[in-house]
Amino acid sequence: MGITEKLQKIKDEIPDYVNLIAVSKTKPAADILEAYEAGQRMFGENKARETQGKHDELPKDIDWHFIGHLQRNKVKYIAPFVKLIHSLDSLRLAKEINKRAKKENRVIPCLIQLHISGEETKFGFDVPEAMEFLSSEPFTEMKNIEIAGSMGMALHTDDTSVLKKQFSMLRKFHEELQTQFPTAKNLSMGMTNDYRVAIDEGSNMIRLGSSIFGERNYDK
Ligand SMILES: *Cc1c(COP(=O)(O)O)cnc(C)c1O
């Protein structure tokens, strides 16, 4: 099956309200164009310079989503055009995004990335940290960031009960977030291995890479 067929199969399977982000990290422009020609407009990348290069080269009506850990010194490369940053995970990063967005005369929509997998090494706020961040004075003064929802990555496991628990924790956080921020509409959860469980648990935005473009040669 080619990219076009794989995309179609996934789109037929998921509900209409679920936004599909095609995760094209490490993949060449030709693959992205094939998906584009099949109607796909939302693409996810996790390296700022790579995102910038692809943005420059490819059709301008593509929405570029930044889905990986974002280093502060790289924000400037994506600030002019990024549609949604899925990985807001610290006050320091928020300050930089706000600064660069202001320079570009933009408000950049961001998702609060929550650490749900229980692993030591993964990025994201835990719930108390996120609440503290959202109510902190420096954040409340930022005018160029919009809180657009929540994002999380579950443990890489086939154990559905673990996935359910982690996704439902994120959904609860998300519902709480929405009471404070009416703009927080996106619940970004679910990847190739776990998107069906994520949709069952309330996801409305899934990030799929290998199920569309095939395995990556190197990961992350
Ligand atoms: C790579 C990546 C994905 C896509 O992973 P697949 O398993 O290939 O679907 C989704 N989200 C994030 C944050 C990623 O880094």
Side-chain angles (χ1 to χ4, degrees), residues 29-124:
D31 286 6
I32 298 175
L33 272 179
E34 185 176 343
Y36 179 87
E37 269 146 29
Q40 182 65 29
R41 291 295 179 273
M42 292 180 268
F43 291 88
E45 291 283 338
N46 71 344
K47 296 264 193 291
R49 296 303 288 267
E50 188 176 336
T51 314
Q52 182 191 39
K54 287 173 171 172
H55 167 263
D56 289 349
E57 181 179 351
L58 288 159
K60 292 297 169 281
D61 60 341
I62 288 179
D63 291 339
W64 293 101
H65 288 239
F66 196 87
I67 61 166
H69 179 62
L70 180 54
Q71 288 170 279
R72 284 175 295 144
N73 61 354
K74 304 283 171 63
V75 174
K76 57 179 178 282
Y77 300 122
I78 60 168
F81 63 87
V82 68
K83 183 76 175 180
L84 183 61
I85 295 175
H86 290 232
S87 45
L88 177 54
D89 61 3
S90 72
L91 176 60
R92 277 154 43 113
L93 177 60
K95 283 179 179 163
E96 181 66 18
I97 294 171
N98 188 63
K99 180 176 126 189
R100 296 290 171 181
K102 193 171 176 181
K103 256 193 187 147
E104 299 293 335
N105 242 315
R106 302 186 61 200
V107 174
I108 298 184
C110 295
L111 307 182
I112 298 292
Q113 182 173 355
L114 211 65
H115 179 227
I116 58 172
S117 72
E119 292 164 293
E120 289 281 325
T121 52
K122 288 282 156 63
F123 294 102

Side-chain angles (χ1 to χ4, degrees), residues 144-156:
N144 297 75
I145 287 182
E146 176 188 284
I147 296 299
S150 321
M151 180 271 202
M153 288 168 83
L155 191 67
H156 190 87

Side-chain angles (χ1 to χ4, degrees), residues 8-43:
Q8 195 52 54
K9 198 167 157 258
I10 293 161
K11 281 198 231 163
D12 289 344
E13 181 196 328
I14 63 177
D16 287 341
Y17 64 83
V18 175
N19 285 302
L20 170 61
I21 313 300
V23 176
S24 48
K25 62 189 186 193
T26 80
K27 297 294 176 182
D31 286 6
I32 298 175
L33 272 179
E34 185 176 343
Y36 179 87
E37 269 146 29
Q40 182 65 29
R41 291 295 179 273
M42 292 180 268
F43 291 88

Side-chain angles (χ1 to χ4, degrees), residues 23 25 46 67-68 113 151 153 156 190-193 207-211 214 216 219-220:
V23 176
K25 62 189 186 193
N46 71 344
I67 61 166
Q113 182 173 355
M151 180 271 202
M153 288 168 83
H156 190 87
M191 304 167 47
T192 291
N193 280 300
R207 311 175 308 270
L208 304 189
S210 38
S211 49
R216 288 174 294 274
D219 219 62
K220 304 246 157 67

